[in-house]
Amino acid sequence: MLDTAVLAINGGTPVRTEPLPLEFPGVHFMDEEEVEAVTAVVRSRSLFRYYGPAPRGEVKQFEQEMAAAFGVRRCIATGSGTGALHAALGALGVGPGQEVIVPAYSWISVAAAVVQRGGVPVVADIDDTFCLDPAAVERAITPHTAGIMLVHMSGAPGDAAAITEVAKRRGLWLLEDCAQCNGGSIGGKPVGSFGDMAIVSFQLNKNMTAGEGGVMLTSDERLYNRAFACHDLGYARNEAGRMILNDPEMTLWGLGCRMDEMRGALLRVQLRKRPRIVGAMRASKYRIRESLARFEEVQLRRVPDPAGDTGCFLITTYRDAARARWVSDALRAEGVRTAPGGVSNIVMTDWGLHLYSNWSGLERRVSIDGKGFPWTIPANAGLGGKVERGACPVADGLFERSILIAIPSNLTQRDEDDVIAAFAKVLGATA
Ligand SMILES: Cc1ncc(COP(=O)(O)O)c(C=O)c1O
């Protein structure tokens, strides 16, 4: 008989051998509804949002539905989350001479958008929410600081109330990046509705997806108009979709980053399914998370409001780097892993461009034009700080002591039972 008490990492029988499902939350809920929505657009042969043989207005309706879902007045759909970041920073007027505070745990596109605009990103440390630490934000503010980018990471909100308070008190704008937390909330208030502007991404890993895509959200009419011009051709458009060329306030430079009707139609379906997608992940995550409460050595990520967690990742933290690595390896041996192509169960130091210490372009101050721009221009003299490993000690410590486990939206009860059993076996065996 096989010995189930011996850890699989020591040659025992694993809890399971079948890989866990891949992440990609929105994908698991895709069915004929999305197929029909896209097909209807193709049949209309009107794939452009502003005109065509028989325009359906899918992107426009999607924008209205997203604004309502986030509790803001305005939404602009874009070709990607990165495009939304760039256009939003354009609307906010980011440029040379300005520092923008970005979190040590986020995504390279956040810092890249600042650099592309000629500004200087300043990396601030995180706390046990794995999002911006309000005290670190205060410390990072200088006379050059223009704004703060709060990134709600790995499915759960950051401390939006505290960061909003800092931004207001210090006269800074706040941009929320909800790419990884679409559908999240704090006390019933949607993330994305706290700051001056917000962005969302619909890339394949996100809670709703069309493969690629994004939106900008705001309740400020001026920012809306400027963001609109930035994402399009640099000019506002009238209700009929025609360009307004004679408004000086709206004469900017455009990115050509509009959303097409196929994605607009598909995302309208995904938005209707969002409560089910997020609800499934949250239920699975909290069932597993609650089973870990009895293990004293496991430190659980602080989530400002568990009811507003979108649930797509579980983060657990251990006493030191060696212990985290061992727990991850032991869980992997027990079968807590996905098929190749998924990111279930990794120590966070293996989490690539999410970690500030892997942003080599920022550390080496790589220039856009090969002549030093934006780093060496006079307006940016003396701006920015160090970004190599060690600059954000809390983040460094959390990354090496923490394990990230993806929670797919289609975990079965048996999958959850197996993850719970694997944790119990691994932690119980060596406690
Ligand atoms: C936090 C965060 N911001 C921005 C983006 C950029 O979104 P996209 O991939 O749609 O350009 C991502 C995406 O992957 C992200 O995780």
Side-chain angles (χ1 to χ4, degrees), residues 127-152:
D127 60 18
D128 55 356
T129 62
F130 285 78
C131 299
L132 273 180
D133 171 5
V137 170
E138 293 262 18
R139 288 195 298 275
I141 295 171
T142 75
H144 303 285
T145 310
I148 304 167
M149 293 167 88
L150 169 61
V151 186
H152 302 288

Side-chain angles (χ1 to χ4, degrees), residues 79-83 85 106-107 109-110 151-153 177 179-180 199-203 206 212-214 354:
S80 69
T82 302
L85 280 172
S106 55
W107 182 238
S109 313
V110 174
V151 186
H152 302 288
M153 283 301 286
D177 181 332
Q180 300 196 12
I199 72 102
V200 182
S201 160
F202 306 117
Q203 182 269 342
K206 308 305 190 293
E212 296 271 14
H354 293 90

Side-chain angles (χ1 to χ4, degrees), residues 56-264:
R56 296 172 59 85
E58 299 283 358
V59 175
K60 188 169 184 174
Q61 290 174 79
F62 173 58
E63 288 172 340
Q64 287 163 356
E65 289 157 6
M66 277 297 274
F70 278 81
V72 298
R73 293 187 52 212
R74 294 293 206 165
C75 171
I76 303 167
T78 56
S80 69
T82 302
L85 280 172
H86 287 239
L89 293 190
L92 291 161
V94 170
Q98 295 186 5
E99 290 176 333
V100 175
I101 296 174
V102 303
Y105 181 44
S106 55
W107 182 238
I108 185 71
S109 313
V110 174
V114 180
V115 177
Q116 284 281 6
R117 301 247 356 134
V120 177
V122 172
V123 182
D125 215 338
I126 58 173
D127 60 18
D128 55 356
T129 62
F130 285 78
C131 299
L132 273 180
D133 171 5
V137 170
E138 293 262 18
R139 288 195 298 275
I141 295 171
T142 75
H144 303 285
T145 310
I148 304 167
M149 293 167 88
L150 169 61
V151 186
H152 302 288
M153 283 301 286
S154 302
D159 193 347
I163 302 289
T164 307
E165 190 280 321
V166 175
K168 286 217 167 97
R169 183 162 40 78
R170 305 296 294 263
L172 307 172
W173 52 253
L174 175 63
L175 171 66
E176 290 177 84
D177 181 332
C178 310
Q180 300 196 12
C181 196
N182 177 7
S185 59
I186 303 172
K189 183 170 164 58
V191 297
S193 66
F194 286 84
D196 300 279
M197 293 192 85
I199 72 102
V200 182
S201 160
F202 306 117
Q203 182 269 342
L204 197 71
N205 294 83
K206 308 305 190 293
N207 292 351
M208 282 164 50
T209 188
E212 296 271 14
V215 291
M216 290 179 280
L217 300 152
T218 185
S219 289
D220 181 312
E221 205 60 19
R222 178 176 167 273
L223 287 175
Y224 166 77
N225 282 315
R226 286 176 60 89
F228 188 94
C230 287
H231 103 293
D232 191 14
L233 292 165
Y235 300 90
R237 284 184 193 256
N238 63 22
E239 273 303 304
R242 297 289 162 198
M243 226 96 60
I244 302 166
L245 301 174
N246 56 1
D247 181 345
E249 169 75 347
M250 284 321 129
T251 304
L252 296 160
W253 297 103
L255 291 164
C257 190
R258 292 177 299 259
M259 180 176 280
D260 60 85
E261 286 285 280
M262 287 188 294
R263 281 187 283 175

